[in-house]
Structure formats: structure tokens, C-alpha cells
Amino acid sequence: MKTAMEYKESLRELNPTVFLGGEKVPSVADEPRLEPGINAVGITYDFALAEQHKGVMTSKGHEDLGANRFLAINRTTQDLLDKLEAVRLTCKVAGCAQRYLTHDAFNALFEATWQIKEEKASENHARLIDYIAGAQKADLAVGIAMTDGKGDRSLRPSRQSQPDSYVHVVSRRSDGVVISGVKAIITGAPYMHELLVLPCRRMLADDKDFAIACAVPIDAKGLTIVTRPAGRPGQAAAKFSAKFAQSVAMAHFDNVFVPYDRVFIDGEFEAAHLMTTNYATHHRHSCIGARAGFGDLLIGAGAMMAQANGLDYEKTPHLREKMVDLIKITEGFYACGIAASTMGELDPAGNYRPDRIYSNIGKLLLASQIYDMHRLAHDVSGGLVVALPSPEEDHNPETAPMLNDLLRGNPEVSYEHRANVARFIEDLTASETGGWYSVISMHGGGSPEAMKLEVLRNYDVEARSELVQALFDRDALDMGRGLKADRQPGRCCPAGCGGDELVKTNARNIDDKNKIQSIETTPK
Ligand SMILES: Cc1cc2nc3c(=O)[nH]c(=O)nc-3n(C[C@H](O)[C@H](O)[C@H](O)COP(=O)(O)OP(=O)(O)OC[C@H]3O[C@@H](n4cnc5c(N)ncnc54)[C@H](O)[C@@H]3O)c2cc1C
């Protein structure tokens, strides 16, 4: 496995076409505006080599050769727990460690290609296993290019007026496929070694050419990446995101050739759909770990800010309540991640997938509660998080002594410390980076509506109705008050009278009820 430095150096061997801020980037590894992203990915490399983190950060890997956790196939439910913990661990240091998306895609593709192999006796699954083994051996950073441009949301891929709204196969050759189209949102794209192209939605038979999953080197001919900077590089006030952050990019595939040994799904639209929904389950489980790491940062910084303001949050009732709320939110959705791991499901392919209900509910919780987390952090901290003079004043002889003296809270806490904590909270909750955390929590892994659909699709509501009906049938609701039959057709009494009897019974009941009502409403 590589160190963070070796990973960064390995980017020099590649020559991707990357545009940033209106200009072409000559060298990704040397681009300051991408550095916080490279640093964040670097954490996933260094932590896998650190003795104290090896347990969660590595896995047995292909043929037990050892691999980074984020490139591993889950063989047990413990692997799911370890992955969840590894995501939290790396994200509380790096904000978003980015590489866990690769884990989610590898596992979902593992499941879908196994299905294709079972149906068609094809070599898709074997190709994927070879690819994963190679990625583990080279310790690659692989970006996930799933979200297409999508064009008009109301139309399926094959119905779009601009066919390149979705990446699709434009021609098939004897040695591979040629693909074109746009992937709109890819985390970390410019500083990845490869992109894994995956379909992002359910498709039907006439969308077959859009049901394509394949691996593309980041500097493949015809691939252009247009990216945003990672975080707030070079800004002194950006206490976190000047060092660790993520860039998000779009990628245009313009007649990119992909040899068959890198093609995992090609036209198998039903398996593609399975891959998309299974990826969502794996990924939403990872998102829970990522945002719990963010929660760790806010809880710590909130407590420090209260202390710097001169308040003991444990002894100040309303601050205590807010701190507990922050903890409750963070550990509440994280508990869903733990439940999803321990209740993980063995796929026929032989790997484990997190429980769908708990993964989706955990992600759904954090998608809305991220805004509560920001609100609580703002409430605990006070307005200085957005009002503090800029860091340049800290070195200005005309203002620094005054600020040091006058803008202290707790006399035992220096202005410098108070300002650091305030800027840290601003960075995470009220800056451009803060907005980024809200939107990724809301939409990363799919918008909330997608989770709600998935919960309802998988939750056995019918079984709960049957449970209630069974209680009626056993008279359990009338215990101790004599026999009272439920009046569902065919269930009018414990003996089970027929429908005719039921109609007569109902008629008698209505008649009796009318009589009672007329007695009650007759003026006395
Ligand atoms: C910071 C960030 C990083 C990301 N990283 C990655 C990444 O690395 N790789 C990747 O592949 N993706 C990534 N994503 C993309 C993410 O998965 C999508 O944002 C998400 O799936 C929502 O898609 P969208 O942004 O196109 O929004 P839309 O799908 O346009 O959703 C907008 C709204 O329209 C609704 N809507 C959309 N279509 C329909 C429809 N047909 N009928 C009814 N309602 C509809 C949605 O429910 C939602 O309310 C990232 C997103 C963010 C914000």
C-alpha cells in the first residue's frame, strides 16, 4: 500500500485534461487549488499504514494479499462495521475522505456482475474481480462517475434531445466499446487515478446503450474534466478547508475507447438497475459514517467555543441541551449505520451489503438534520463566527493588540484560540465549505425522495397490517371484556362466518346504532 506522499507522487505519472477557474491545469499534483483534496485522500493512505488504525483501515483483500478498506469486498458483517468506522475515522480528520465511494461501487458491481454471470455465463464478474485485484495491488484512487448530466429529468436517457446528457455506448468494436456523454458531479475527479463509469438510474430495454459500467484511466484520450477548487485553499480564515477538502468536477467523455477487460456492464439494463440501487445502499451507509465524522468536529468545536466565551456548557442549562442535541443527532444516525452493519445481508454473490432500511433511514436523517447541526453550532457559538475581523488583523500592529485585549471572552482563553475556534466553526457551517456540507448531506447518495422510495419499497408494511389483523382475530384487543368479533369480510367471529352472515350482522349493527342515536338526540 502507498503512503500519502507516494499517492501524490503517483499523480505525476498521469496527464489528465483538467480545467479549473478558466484555465488548464498543467500538473494536478502541483496545483495549490487542488491541494486540500489531495491531502484529504492522502489520509486514507497514511491511516491504512498506521499501526493504530490498521484494524479498520485494511482488509484481507483479494487472495488475502491485504488492501485498503476502501477497495475491499465485504466478506462479513464485521467488514461492514469496520468500513463504517473507517469512514468516520478518516472523515473526522479529512472532512470527506472520498475514497469510500470506490468501496461502495466495487461491492455493488460485484453483486450485479455476479447476477449477469449467473444468467449469461459471461465473464463480466471475473473481469471485475481482476480489475479490483489490480486496483488493490496498485492501491488506486478511483473516482465514481455515476451521476449523469441527466438533461430533462422527466425523460429517460434514450428520450433526451441531447443524447450526451447520459454517458452511453456510441459504437462497439471487436476489442472494446466507445463511449460519449457527460457525468455531472464527481468527487475528487482531477486527482484520481481512474474513473469508474456507472449508470445512475433505472433503465428499460430501449436505454440499453446507456446501461454501461466500465473503468477509464483519468488521462484517457477524449476525457475532459472541469473542476472546482477543493475547499478554500490559501484562505487564512479557512481553518479546516484550506488544508482538507474536496473538489467536485464534471467529466465529458468524447468518444473514449474502453477495452473489454474494463467493461463490466454493457447493455444488461436490469443488472444495471440492481447495481444502481445496491450502490445506493452501500453508499448511504458510508455517508452515515462520513457525517458522523463531521458531527465529531462540530461537537468538539461547539464545546470549545462555549468555553472560550466563558461558559461551562455542562452547567448552563440551555447550552447543555444544545450540546446533547448535537450528540443525539450524530449518534442517532450513526446508530442506524451500526444497525445496518450488524443486520447486513449476504448477497448471493458472496459479499455482505448493509441492511437497506437502516442505511436509508440513517442517510435520510442526516440529510435533514445537517441543517439542525449547523443551527445548533451557530446557537452555541454566537455571532462572532461570521463577524470576526479577518486573520490579516492578527498580524497588524495597529489592530492586533486591541483585538487581543478586547475580543477575549473567558480570561483564561487567549484571543488567538477563541478566533481559531470561531473561524473553524465558520468554515464548517457558514462559509462556502459549510454550504458544501449541507448540500452533500442532502443530495450525496441521492436526494431524500430516493431514500423514502427505497424505505417503502423494502419495508414490510403488509406484515404489520397482518399483525394487527391477527390481534383482532384473537380478540386480543378486547381481552377481559368479553368476546367481540372483528367485522372484516370473512372474519366476523372467531368461528369465521361467511360473507352473508357478515352483511346481516352489519345491518343489525347499523340498525341498533341508529336506534341508539335517535334516543340520544331526542330532546328530553
Ligand atoms: C458535493 C457532492 C458530491 C457528489 N459526488 C458524487 C460522486 O462522486 N459521484 C457521483 O456519481 N455523484 C456524486 N454526487 C451526485 C449526487 O449523487 C446527486 O446530486 C444526487 O443523486 C441528486 O441528483 P441531482 O444532483 O442530479 O439532482 P436531481 O436528480 O435533479 O434532483 C433535484 C430534485 O428533483 C427531484 N427529481 C429528480 N428527478 C426526478 C423525477 N424524475 N421525478 C420526480 N422528481 C425528480 C429530486 O427528488 C430532487 O428533489 C455528488 C453530489 C454532491 C452535492
Side-chain angles (χ1 to χ4, degrees):
M1 283 179 281
K2 290 184 170 72
T3 63
M5 193 51 80
E6 286 165 346
Y7 148 67
K8 186 174 177 177
E9 285 306 307
S10 69
L11 297 177
R12 294 186 198 287
E13 293 160 23
L14 302 164
N15 190 22
T17 304
V18 177
F19 288 91
L20 170 58
E23 50 194 35
K24 195 156 178 256
V25 175
S27 162
V28 164
D30 300 307
E31 172 54 59
R33 289 169 292 177
L34 297 176
E35 195 179 318
I38 295 172
N39 291 343
V41 171
I43 292 290
T44 68
Y45 284 95
D46 276 350
F47 275 25
L49 296 170
E51 205 52 51
Q52 70 271 34
H53 300 317
K54 267 185 182 166
V56 294
M57 285 301 301
T58 59
S59 130
K60 283 185 176 168
H62 184 65
E63 294 177 346
D64 291 349
L65 292 174
N68 191 292
R69 171 71 57 198
F70 297 143
L71 301 176
I73 297 296
N74 306 308
R75 298 293 181 187
T76 61
T77 53
Q78 183 60 43
D79 281 339
L80 292 172
L81 269 175
D82 286 342
K83 187 266 301 194
L84 183 73
E85 188 52 35
V87 177
R88 184 172 187 166
L89 175 71
T90 49
C91 290
K92 71 182 166 197
V93 178
C96 169
Q98 303 164 78
R99 266 177 106 198
Y100 54 82
L101 282 88
T102 318
H103 159 281
D104 306 335
F106 277 4
N107 278 272
L109 267 178
F110 191 79
E111 293 153 16
T113 53
W114 188 87
Q115 176 117 339
I116 296 171
K117 180 196 76 159
E118 288 297 290
E119 282 166 12
K120 303 204 312 194
S122 68
E123 58 186 35
N124 303 47
H125 193 60
R127 274 183 208 161
L128 178 75
I129 290 175
D130 283 350
Y131 178 76
I132 293 175
Q136 291 178 348
K137 193 158 174 243
D139 209 4
L140 294 183
V142 182
I144 301 308
M146 180 180 241
T147 305
D148 294 272
K150 294 197 271 192
D152 181 339
R153 301 308 197 251
S154 68
L155 300 174
R156 284 190 292 108
S158 55
R159 305 292 155 93
Q160 298 289 333
S161 57
Q162 165 54 278
D164 280 357
S165 300
Y166 285 81
V167 170
H168 60 290
V169 176
V170 286
S171 64
R172 289 183 178 79
R173 296 175 9 186
S174 59
D175 50 352
V177 297
V178 177
I179 58 172
S180 280
V182 61
K183 292 290 182 183
I185 313 181
I186 310 167
T187 297
Y191 42 84
M192 295 288 147
H193 298 112
E194 306 235 333
L195 292 183
L196 202 48
V197 172
L198 303 170
C200 78
R201 58 170 291 164
R202 180 163 173 262
M203 297 188 191
L204 300 178
D206 49 1
D207 302 311
K208 271 173 92 158
D209 287 341
F210 299 82
I212 175 79
C214 58
V216 177
I218 202 70
D219 54 0
K221 189 164 172 278
L223 176 58
T224 303
I225 292 166
V226 186
T227 190
R228 291 167 68 108
R232 302 162 70 203
Q235 295 186 37
K239 285 292 162 198
F240 189 75
S241 67
K243 183 87 195 282
F244 295 114
Q246 304 67 38
S247 69
V248 189
M250 63 82 80
H252 179 210
F253 296 77
D254 183 9
N255 289 294
V256 175
F257 172 69
V258 188
Y260 276 123
D261 60 349
R262 290 172 153 265
V263 176
F264 312 118
I265 297 178
D266 176 15
E268 295 91 353
F269 64 94
E270 281 159 345
H273 182 222
L274 177 80
M275 193 286 306
T276 308
T277 47
N278 286 3
Y279 170 81
T281 302
H282 285 288
H283 187 49
R284 289 167 193 167
H285 182 247
S286 295
C287 292
I288 292 170
R291 225 46 75 224
F294 179 81
D296 289 329
L297 296 175
L298 275 200
I299 292 164
M304 288 165 80
M305 195 66 205
Q307 194 209 12
N309 287 345
L311 294 167
D312 181 341
Y313 67 85
E314 288 189 71
K315 294 193 182 133
T316 313
H318 78 96
L319 291 182
R320 186 171 58 219
E321 190 192 309
K322 275 148 201 156
M323 288 301 295
V324 171
D325 271 355
L326 264 180
I327 296 167
K328 183 183 74 181
I329 288 173
T330 303
E331 301 305 341
F333 62 70
Y334 194 66
C336 285
I338 295 175
S341 310
T342 57
M343 294 172 74
E345 189 185 347
L346 179 60
D347 189 88
N351 67 326
Y352 273 85
R353 183 174 50 250
D355 176 80
R356 291 181 197 272
I357 300 290
Y358 288 109
S359 293
N360 278 283
I361 290 185
K363 171 70 202 345
L364 196 52
L365 283 174
L366 75 89
S368 58
Q369 291 181 333
I370 185 77
Y371 297 93
D372 295 321
M373 293 166 86
H374 287 179
R375 173 178 57 77
L376 289 163
H378 295 164
D379 196 340
V380 167
S381 305
L384 271 192
V385 295
V386 295
L388 208 64
S390 70
E392 288 72 30
E393 302 298 349
D394 300 352
H395 312 286
N396 177 355
E398 289 184 74
T399 55
M402 173 182 71
L403 295 174
N404 271 311
D405 204 25
L406 300 177
L407 282 189
R408 285 170 80 163
N410 183 343
E412 288 173 16
V413 175
S414 68
Y415 167 73
E416 186 191 2
H417 179 76
R418 190 172 186 225
N420 276 342
V421 180
R423 287 179 187 135
F424 184 87
I425 293 176
E426 174 189 17
D427 194 27
L428 290 189
T429 65
S431 68
E432 188 185 337
T433 298
W436 185 92
Y437 279 112
S438 305
V439 179
I440 194 165
S441 303
M442 165 77 73
H443 281 297
S447 51
E449 202 52 33
M451 278 144 243
K452 290 179 193 167
L453 286 175
E454 200 59 6
V455 168
L456 263 189
R457 199 177 293 143
N458 291 285
Y459 200 81
D460 200 346
V461 176
E462 190 58 31
R464 271 79 180 172
S465 299
E466 283 169 12
L467 167 73
V468 176
Q469 185 60 56
L471 289 174
F472 287 166
D473 291 350
R474 294 204 315 268
D475 295 332
L477 302 182
D478 288 308
M479 268 193 291
R481 287 197 276 134
L483 200 69
K484 187 172 178 232
D486 176 37
R487 307 207 181 282
Q488 290 287 310
R491 294 173 184 270
C492 62
C493 67
C497 302
D500 287 352
E501 188 57 35
L502 178 74
V503 172
K504 282 182 211 155
T505 313
N506 279 345
R508 271 199 304 274
N509 284 344
I510 291 165
D511 199 32
D512 288 351
K513 207 169 151 198
N514 287 343
K515 276 183 203 156
I516 293 165
Q517 259 179 2
S518 74
I519 293 164
E520 283 174 349
T521 51
T522 308
K524 300 223 165 56

